[in-house]
Amino acid sequence: MERQTVDLLQPLWRALVVFRALTWAFACFGVWTRWDGIVRPYGAVLQLTVMGVWTLVSSYGYSRRWGRRNTRLAFADLIITVGCMYATLWAQPLLDIRAGASVLTSVWAAGPVLALAISRGRDGGLLGAATISLALLSLRGVEHASKILSNVQLLLVAGLVVGYAASTMRQAGKRLRDAIAAESATAERLRLNRSIHDGVLQVLAQVQRRGTAIGGEALELADLAAEQEVALRTLMSSRPAVAEGDRVDLCGLLLPLATTRVDVVVPAGQVLLPAATAAELVAAVKEALSNVIKHAGPDARSWVVVEELGENVVVSIRDDGLGTTPARLEQARVDGHLGVSQSIRGRITDLGGTVTIRTAPGEGTEWELKL
């Protein structure tokens, strides 16, 4: 059964529903206390009835996922709330409102500001506050702008604060979901690793041992089993390369290069680099390993080691092959063999790094790529 994700914004929606109900009751109380000063009381009753019905409808919507997952209900709330503000004209003439009579919606009109702030963040809250403020200003008149300034300020502050809070909680919810997904993936990976270790790897190791002992054509089968064992172990120990933004984990890109003749040693933590930089660095490492296959001898082994030294990242590629001399490397460049000069040195130099090579006949070769 699919796990229900936790909606961290749900408490804000519940608070909005309570706010709607309480402010409608406050608007009713305000009409009751000013009953004798209302020119057309039946208009006030009709207005409160419309407000009450919409409070029930919007509260029901905000209590359901369909009402919270999109902004259509919040925008409808804004339009109907503005309409209810103008419905004050059913109870009071416009001249009386501009002379000081209250707009009967009172604090109830702030509901869509909070709804838009929750659903759309800061921008939604500011849009709602501006719309309600303009409606209030049109009813009160421009000449009374200074008198409603405090109401406008409260609406703007509410839209900003609730909008920022909603955006922060939404980001926290995404991070929580990502963490839960990562935890689930890790648990499943560990379960599969146990299964592979207890079954497939032991069978491959047994095939390798028996094939080596039997000899002959069975040696080829033993070599294949050894390669598959290394591949599976590499897969089990690998980790995702993608981190956040445009930065990736270099170790996650290098671990899959391990084979029966290549060992890859990386730190326990991530080594984050820009994606383009990491791609060029991995390409240089692959070129160095390709040179081992071509020139170091059929039995040569290689080691790739990643170190993070302060602000520097150092990748060493060492082999125990035949080795060479710096003069031969220079001669290869002159002869047009560009693997070393372009694919390795050129890449690292373009990245602003340095390349150091140590080699001697019979002592293998070591590349040190530093960024």
Side-chain angles (χ1 to χ4, degrees), residues 11-350:
L12 291 180
W13 290 113
R14 289 175 178 171
L16 175 60
V17 170
V18 174
F19 174 85
R20 274 306 217 181
L22 289 178
T23 52
W24 178 78
F26 182 77
C28 292
F29 179 76
V31 169
W32 179 70
T33 57
R34 296 189 296 271
W35 184 262
D36 293 336
I38 297 176
V39 176
R40 293 184 289 272
Y42 64 87
V45 173
L46 180 59
Q47 179 186 6
L48 291 175
T49 301
V50 173
M51 290 168 56
V53 171
W54 179 246
T55 297
L56 292 175
V57 173
S58 61
S59 296
Y60 178 80
Y62 294 141
S63 301
R64 297 293 183 268
R65 289 178 61 85
W66 60 265
R68 300 193 298 261
R69 290 180 64 87
N70 57 68
T71 57
R72 285 179 291 182
L73 180 60
F75 278 115
D77 193 1
L78 179 64
I79 294 171
I80 293 175
T81 297
V82 170
C84 288
M85 293 176 67
Y86 283 108
T88 302
L89 297 175
W90 295 346
Q92 297 281 34
L94 183 59
L95 290 177
D96 289 355
I97 295 176
R98 293 189 173 178
S102 299
V103 177
L104 300 185
T105 50
S106 187
V107 189
W108 184 85
V113 177
L114 302 179
L116 285 169
I118 297 172
S119 61
R120 302 292 294 181
R122 176 200 62 189
D123 295 340
L126 290 178
L127 173 64
T131 303
I132 296 298
S133 299
L134 289 174
L136 184 61
L137 183 62
S138 66
L139 286 170
R140 287 293 191 186
V142 178
E143 62 274 11
H144 298 290
S146 59
K147 295 182 180 180
I148 66 172
L149 182 59
S150 59
N151 292 332
V152 173
Q153 289 176 338
L154 287 175
L155 288 171
L156 291 174
V157 169
L160 279 172
V161 172
V162 176
Y164 275 119
S167 298
T168 301
M169 294 176 72
R170 190 172 285 109
Q171 293 172 2
K174 182 180 182 301
R175 291 176 181 175
L176 176 61
R177 290 191 296 272
D178 291 343
I180 292 174
E183 181 182 1
S184 300
T186 300
E188 180 65 13
R189 189 182 188 87
L190 290 175
R191 185 187 68 80
L192 290 175
N193 284 352
R194 287 194 296 268
S195 245
I196 293 173
H197 181 271
D198 295 341
V200 180
L201 287 180
Q202 290 187 7
V203 171
L204 289 174
Q206 181 67 15
V207 170
Q208 181 186 359
R209 288 193 297 269
R210 292 290 297 163
T212 303
I214 294 172
E217 294 183 356
L219 283 175
E220 183 179 354
L221 183 61
D223 291 339
L224 289 175
E227 291 176 2
Q228 292 303 311
E229 181 184 2
V230 172
L232 277 176
R233 290 189 184 276
T234 300
L235 179 63
M236 291 167 60
S237 62
S238 64
R239 58 203 193 200
V242 177
E244 55 183 28
D246 66 338
R247 300 176 71 81
V248 298
D249 179 18
L250 176 64
C251 303
L253 297 176
L254 290 177
L255 281 171
L257 300 181
T259 66
T260 54
R261 296 189 178 278
V262 178
D263 291 331
V264 180
V265 182
V266 299
Q270 291 183 327
V271 178
L272 298 179
L273 292 176
T277 301
E280 288 294 285
L281 184 53
V282 171
V285 172
K286 289 181 177 178
E287 180 63 27
L289 293 175
S290 176
N291 283 340
V292 174
I293 296 174
K294 295 176 183 177
H295 307 297
D299 298 325
R301 292 184 56 85
S302 303
W303 292 264
V304 178
V305 181
V306 180
E307 298 176 279
E308 193 169 22
L309 306 176
E311 296 182 353
N312 296 323
V313 174
V314 179
V315 179
S316 302
I317 307 99
R318 181 172 61 87
D319 67 73
D320 59 359
L322 301 177
T324 184
T325 63
R328 289 181 181 176
L329 291 175
E330 178 61 22
Q331 185 61 43
R333 185 190 68 79
V334 172
D335 293 341
H337 300 288
L338 303 179
V340 171
S341 62
Q342 294 297 325
S343 295
I344 301 178
R345 289 188 186 276
R347 278 192 169 98
I348 304 305
T349 301
D350 289 345

